[in-house]
Amino acid sequence: MPEQTEIRTTERAVPPSPAPPATSDAAVIRDALGVGIAVGLSGFAFGVTSAGVGLSLLQTCALSLLVFTGASQFALVGALAAGGNPLTAAAGAFFLGARNAFYGLRLSAVLGYRATVKPFAAHWVIDETSAVTLAQPDRRSARLGFTVTGLTLYVLWNLTTLAGALGAEALGDTEAWGLDAAGPAVFLALLAPMLKDTVERAAAGLAVVLVMVTLPLLPTGVPVLVSALAAPAVLVVQGRRGRGTAQEPGADRADDAGPPARPEGTPENRPATEEDRA
């Protein structure tokens, strides 16, 4: 009867990659409400500033309802307050708001909304909604975070804009309240945990340097667009370093050649003698 030979393989099954931890709806809603409320309160500052530069109540509220991108709104009224030309101020605000188009490209794939819903969702594509959405592990949580953040921030921003425009004289100096710093502070708090490796930290650091250097030299809004060059610059440097440290072809073949052959003179290879047989 022929002997059965058991063949055993030394290869081990590769364990599947762990799934991202699930996030409860309550946690997503809590984070989204926190961002929406914290940033929405800075609408007071915009309402006061807009009324201070001479815009009417209708013009101030229309900017928050139709534009709804805080940085661009502040850039517009800030340029007008400095005595800038309205067309120049509008151009700077437009360039600053152009960054939301890049957010939209990423969020379109993450959220996966139908074509009929995308035009309405695009109005809520801003810094804060993008940060909350991209921090979620799955599509369902991303949609929930985007919706709650966008709705909370849109409603509260417009209400506080109206209140700020009506009570501009009562509120006084907005810098004393620190409301203009609420939005950037919340965005940085959301962004910091997402910078997990050296490449991401280097891109963020270079972006900050570009903004600080170009801020006094370029029109309002343009330094933010210039800072977008930080990401491709860091990736180019990383690619060159990767090619420089790559191993030469054939360098790993030495380990696959197996153990060296034994010389013929070793006891394992020479013929057995009569003494060995004895």
Side-chain angles (χ1 to χ4, degrees):
M1 181 176 179
E3 297 181 357
Q4 295 181 349
T5 305
E6 182 181 0
I7 301 177
R8 297 181 179 179
T9 59
T10 57
E11 297 181 357
R12 298 181 179 179
V14 179
S17 57
T23 304
S24 64
D25 292 350
V28 177
I29 294 174
R30 179 195 62 214
D31 295 340
L33 287 175
V35 173
I37 293 173
V39 180
L41 292 176
S42 58
F44 279 113
F46 172 72
V48 172
T49 306
S50 180
V53 300
L55 294 182
S56 66
L57 178 64
L58 180 60
Q59 292 172 328
T60 300
C61 292
L63 282 173
S64 287
L65 286 169
L66 302 177
V67 179
F68 186 57
T69 166
S72 298
Q73 294 177 231
F74 276 111
L76 176 63
V77 298
L80 293 176
N85 184 281
L87 294 179
T88 304
F94 173 79
F95 283 116
L96 184 58
R99 72 192 187 282
N100 295 331
F102 297 98
Y103 293 155
L105 294 176
R106 181 71 180 98
L107 293 185
S108 178
V110 173
L111 296 173
Y113 285 139
R114 293 176 297 178
T116 55
V117 180
K118 286 182 179 180
F120 300 97
H123 193 52
W124 286 354
V125 176
I126 54 176
D127 297 332
E128 292 76 20
T129 55
S130 300
V132 172
T133 302
L134 296 177
Q136 307 309 320
D138 54 69
R139 174 167 290 181
R140 183 177 181 278
S141 299
R143 287 183 173 182
L144 180 61
F146 177 82
T147 303
V148 175
T149 306
L151 180 61
T152 305
L153 185 52
Y154 187 74
V155 172
L156 190 57
W157 178 270
N158 282 279
L159 289 177
T160 54
T161 296
L162 176 61
L166 291 174
E169 296 182 359
L171 288 176
D173 186 10
T174 56
E175 294 183 359
W177 290 75
L179 297 176
D180 54 338
V186 172
F187 183 72
L188 289 177
L190 290 170
L191 179 64
M194 301 176 68
L195 305 178
K196 298 179 180 180
D197 56 28
T198 305
V199 176
E200 294 173 350
R201 296 190 186 100
L206 180 58
V208 172
V209 173
L210 290 175
V211 169
M212 298 300 293
V213 171
T214 58
L215 190 60
L217 304 176
L218 299 178
T220 303
V222 178
V224 177
L225 299 178
V226 173
S227 68
L229 300 175
V234 172
L235 292 177
V236 168
V237 174
Q238 183 195 24
R240 290 181 178 178
R241 289 183 178 180
R243 289 193 297 269
T245 57
Q247 295 182 352
E248 297 181 359
D252 333 340
R253 297 176 184 173
D255 297 337
D256 302 334
R262 297 180 179 273
E264 296 182 355
T266 57
E268 290 81 0
N269 294 332
R270 64 179 175 81
T273 60
E274 296 181 356
E275 295 179 356
D276 295 334
R277 297 192 187 98

